[in-house]
């Protein structure tokens, strides 16, 4: 398929890219007045796209190829412009622009985001709550509105209908917006001593430990000891000793003299949680990678399907890291039979089969650039094998099924920590929340999926206690 039907189409596409770059530069530098000017200068070109009625052109080609049109690029720019208009409190203009975007054939995967902003502006800023309910009702009828955006819209609709200020007509529509029934993960709490001065920015916690130098008649021995949890890094095999005393060897050794020097290590909330799970629950291996570890699993087990060049138009050159349709529903639809077959194979894989598959893909492709697989995430192939084996075929299939059917919307919201134990042949997924932090809509949805699949998943809240260094 030709990307550009004629020279003028290509030139309009290039001009749109330049305008989008101007918008991104203005936003990155917080030049909001400049960004508004870019929007105003780009709006005539966008309106001209609408007037050209590109719907018939869009209907003749798959969505993923529409990214090579000026209409697609300008729609992305207009999505940024919604934020700019809201910053300037031009909420009426923002609503009008969102409705225009929703009526166009471009950027269909952004419809959930557009509906979410439309409902918020109508509800919170313009106080047009019946119109907000109409927008939510329309959004929930669309299959493309998924994950966090769908949950946010469901909750807003239920809240509007049950509010004390709701009219009788609004209350009568309550059945159209039932409260979502999501499964919830177990929640635990650990405490940490917060480093003074980190309030309002990323939280860091202090961990006191001591280095001891012991002089004996036979030489010098260095050891470490600390109060609550070990200062060792997850996965390094270090010992955790909550007694605060290091194992100094044989108690009947020669007379010795010990000197201790106190130190403080600063840990993020995720690092503090990883230490907790290593020391208290015995998960000796782990990664703080959020969605990267799950994307890596998908890349390892679906490599051949991702790079299947038998699907028309998805590979346009030899340097692509992903097929052009990877972030669209087209990816699953055009490979459905092969993907479903692979998922069935995964469900029946035992530990040996899982290990053999990862070893085969790693050996054949390690270092080959892939958009969803960071080869440096794991220390080596064996770590990737161990992780996959601990997850197991059934859970691998469940996770990969969700990613295959909507990678764009589901790559976010995954748990912070991926932990596993080779000794226990078990894995745990943990979302870590620091002080005053809470789950996002996408995270709520992923927790529901993990609990539904029978995964060991939980939310770990880190509570700050004190701010003074232990003496």
């Amino acid at each position: 398929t030709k990307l550009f039907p004629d020279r003028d189409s290509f030139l309009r596409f290039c001009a749109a890219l330049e305008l989008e770059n101007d918008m991104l530069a203005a936003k990155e530098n917080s030049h909001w007045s400049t960004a508004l000017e870019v929007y105003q200068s780009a709006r005539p070109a966008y309106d001209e796209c609408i007037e050209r009625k590109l719907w018939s052109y869009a209907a003749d080609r798959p969505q993923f190829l529409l990214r090579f049109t000026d209409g697609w690029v300008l729609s992305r720019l207009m999505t940024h412009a919604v934020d700019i208009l809201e910053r300037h409190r031009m909420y009426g203009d923002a609503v009008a622009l969102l409705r225009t975007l929703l009526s166009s054939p471009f950027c269909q995967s952004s419809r959930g985001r557009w509906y979410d902003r439309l409902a918020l502006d109508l509800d919170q800023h313009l106080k047009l709550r019946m119109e907000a309910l109409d927008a939510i009702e329309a959004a929930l009828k669309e299959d493309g509105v998924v994950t966090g955006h769908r949950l946010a819209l469901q909750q807003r609709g239920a809240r509007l209908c049950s509010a004390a200020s709701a009219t009788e007509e609004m209350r009568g529509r309550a059945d159209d917006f039932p409260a979502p029934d999501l499964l919830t993960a177990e929640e635990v709490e650990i405490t940490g001593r917060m480093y003074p001065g980190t309030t309002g920015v990323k939280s860091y916690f202090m961990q006191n430990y001591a280095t001891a130098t012991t002089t004996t008649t036979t030489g010098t021995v260095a050891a470490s000891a600390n109060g609550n949890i070990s200062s060792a890094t997850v996965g390094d095999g270090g010992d955790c000793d909550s007694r605060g005393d290091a194992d100094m060897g044989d108690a009947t050794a020669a007379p010795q003299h010990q000197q201790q020097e106190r130190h403080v290590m600063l840990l993020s909330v995720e690092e503090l949680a990883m230490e907790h799970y290593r020391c208290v629950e015995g998960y000796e291996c782990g990664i703080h990678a959020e969605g990267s570890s799950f994307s890596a699993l998908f890349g390892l087990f679906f490599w051949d399907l991702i790079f299947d060049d038998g699907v028309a138009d998805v590979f346009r050159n030899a340097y692509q890291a992903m097929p052009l349709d990877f972030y669209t529903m087209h990816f699953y639809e055009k490979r459905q039979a092969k993907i479903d077959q692979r998922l069935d194979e995964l469900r029946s894989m035992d530990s040996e089969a899982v290990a053999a598959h990862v070893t085969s893909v790693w050996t054949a492709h390690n270092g080959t650039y892939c958009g969803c697989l960071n080869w440096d995430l794991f220390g080596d192939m064996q770590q990737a094998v161990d992780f996959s084996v601990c997850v197991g075929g059934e859970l691998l299939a469940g996770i990969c099924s969700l990613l295959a059917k909507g990678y764009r919307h589901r790559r976010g919201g995954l748990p912070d920590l991926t932990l596993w134990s080779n000794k226990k042949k078990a894995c745990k997924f943990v979302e870590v929340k620091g002080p005053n932090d809470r789950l996002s809509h996408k995270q709520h949805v992923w927790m529901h999926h993990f609990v539904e699949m029978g995964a060991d998943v939980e939310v770990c809240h880190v509570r700050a206690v004190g701010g003074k260094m232990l003496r």
Side-chain angles (χ1 to χ4, degrees):
T1 303
K2 289 181 63 177
L3 294 183
F4 304 101
D6 51 49
R7 183 174 182 274
D8 287 342
S9 297
F10 175 70
L11 294 176
R12 286 194 299 267
F13 173 72
C14 293
L17 285 176
E18 290 184 7
L19 287 169
E20 184 184 35
N21 287 336
D22 292 341
M23 172 65 79
L24 294 174
K27 288 189 68 177
E28 183 177 354
N29 293 291
S30 301
H31 295 162
W32 309 120
S33 296
T34 302
L36 181 61
E37 292 173 1
V38 174
Y39 157 68
Q40 291 169 340
S41 64
R43 186 60 195 259
Y46 179 67
D47 290 338
E48 193 270 330
C49 285
I50 303 301
E51 291 173 4
R52 274 191 280 123
K53 298 189 181 298
L54 292 176
W55 285 263
S56 58
Y57 174 77
D60 294 336
R61 55 183 54 214
Q63 271 283 313
F64 65 87
L65 288 184
L66 292 182
R67 71 178 68 185
F68 299 105
T69 64
D70 56 331
W72 185 283
V73 177
L74 290 171
S75 294
R76 287 197 312 238
L77 188 155
M78 293 300 134
T79 301
H80 291 293
V82 170
D83 178 46
I84 302 304
L85 292 170
E86 290 170 345
R87 284 180 176 274
H88 285 82
R89 300 188 178 183
M90 301 167 66
Y91 300 114
D93 291 339
V95 164
L97 179 55
L98 284 165
R99 285 175 166 154
T100 302
L101 287 166
L102 286 164
S103 69
S104 79
F106 303 106
C107 300
Q108 293 293 296
S109 57
S110 296
R111 295 183 69 80
R113 177 182 177 183
W114 294 337
Y115 271 120
D116 197 5
R117 298 306 304 180
L118 177 61
L120 184 148
D121 286 339
L122 289 170
D123 173 20
Q124 294 294 316
H125 302 300
L126 299 181
K127 309 302 181 184
L128 299 173
R129 296 195 167 102
M130 280 300 294
E131 290 189 35
L133 281 178
D134 291 339
I136 294 169
E137 185 176 24
L140 296 179
K141 291 178 180 179
E142 296 193 14
D143 294 336
V145 178
V146 295
T147 63
H149 293 305
R150 176 168 286 271
L151 176 60
L153 287 161
Q154 289 173 326
Q155 291 177 340
R156 184 178 296 278
R159 190 165 57 247
L160 282 170
C161 292
S162 62
S165 59
T167 63
E168 284 299 318
E169 185 179 0
M170 292 172 67
R171 292 181 186 278
R173 299 178 64 177
D175 291 342
D176 296 331
F177 308 99
D181 185 18
L182 294 181
L183 299 172
T184 58
E186 181 181 354
E187 300 193 27
V188 300
E189 183 182 88
I190 63 175
T191 60
R193 194 173 297 276
M194 182 176 286
Y195 182 70
T198 59
T199 303
V201 296
K202 183 175 177 62
S203 300
Y204 285 95
F205 294 83
M206 299 186 295
Q207 181 180 31
N208 280 37
Y209 67 99
T211 56
T213 302
T214 304
T215 305
T216 71
T217 58
T218 57
T220 301
V221 179
S224 67
N226 59 67
N228 296 318
I229 55 177
S230 171
S231 61
T233 303
V234 171
D236 71 359
D239 186 30
C240 295
D241 191 342
S242 61
R243 298 169 300 173
D245 297 314
D247 182 3
M248 300 303 296
D250 187 357
T252 62
Q256 51 188 267
H257 176 68
Q258 186 179 86
Q259 292 181 334
Q260 287 193 345
E261 184 178 354
R262 305 294 290 183
H263 300 276
V264 173
M265 179 181 293
L266 295 185
L267 303 176
S268 67
V269 288
E270 294 85 7
E271 291 167 338
L272 191 70
M274 288 181 77
E275 288 291 84
H276 165 79
Y277 285 101
R278 184 176 74 85
C279 299
V280 177
E281 299 196 17
Y283 287 95
E284 72 272 14
C285 302
I287 300 174
H288 171 212
E290 300 181 1
S292 297
S293 55
F294 301 95
S295 295
L297 289 177
F298 185 71
L300 288 169
F301 286 93
F302 286 79
W303 183 280
D304 56 329
L305 302 186
I306 292 172
F307 291 100
D308 180 5
D309 57 6
V311 181
D313 291 321
V314 298
F315 287 102
R316 308 292 299 198
N317 64 71
Y319 301 99
Q320 287 180 222
M322 303 297 291
L324 291 176
D325 66 344
F326 189 69
Y327 295 100
T328 72
M329 287 304 298
H330 186 277
F331 178 80
Y332 176 71
E333 292 168 356
K334 293 301 180 181
R335 303 164 181 81
Q336 182 172 352
K338 292 181 179 179
I339 289 175
D340 290 346
Q341 180 182 352
R342 179 62 49 82
L343 293 172
D344 289 339
E345 293 170 358
L346 268 175
R347 293 185 184 97
S348 62
M349 280 187 182
D350 57 17
S351 297
E352 290 75 16
V354 168
H357 185 100
V358 174
T359 300
S360 174
V361 173
W362 190 285
T363 302
H365 303 292
N366 181 25
T368 302
Y369 185 65
C370 172
C372 70
L373 175 52
N374 176 10
W375 296 101
D376 296 328
L377 183 66
F378 302 102
D380 52 30
M381 181 181 73
Q382 189 57 49
Q383 193 180 49
V385 169
D386 293 341
F387 170 47
S388 302
V389 167
C390 288
V391 175
E394 187 69 32
L395 186 52
L396 281 169
I399 295 169
C400 290
S401 175
L402 290 169
L403 292 176
K405 296 173 183 178
Y407 185 86
R408 173 187 171 89
H409 296 291
R410 294 192 171 104
R411 58 181 171 169
L414 285 152
D416 293 308
L417 305 183
T418 304
L419 309 168
W420 70 95
S421 170
N422 297 322
K423 299 174 183 178
K424 300 190 294 185
K425 296 299 180 189
C427 68
K428 181 187 283 284
F429 309 134
V430 181
E431 179 62 37
V432 183
K433 291 300 175 187
N436 304 316
D437 199 2
R438 62 181 182 178
L439 292 176
S440 69
H441 290 103
K442 284 188 176 182
Q443 289 169 342
H444 275 294
V445 173
W446 263 115
M447 289 295 160
H448 166 82
H449 288 313
F450 278 125
V451 173
E452 191 176 44
M453 290 185 284
D456 187 359
V457 61
E458 62 188 32
V459 181
C460 177
H461 297 278
V462 180
R463 181 168 59 87
V465 291
K468 295 182 179 180
M469 185 185 306
L470 291 175
R471 298 186 183 276

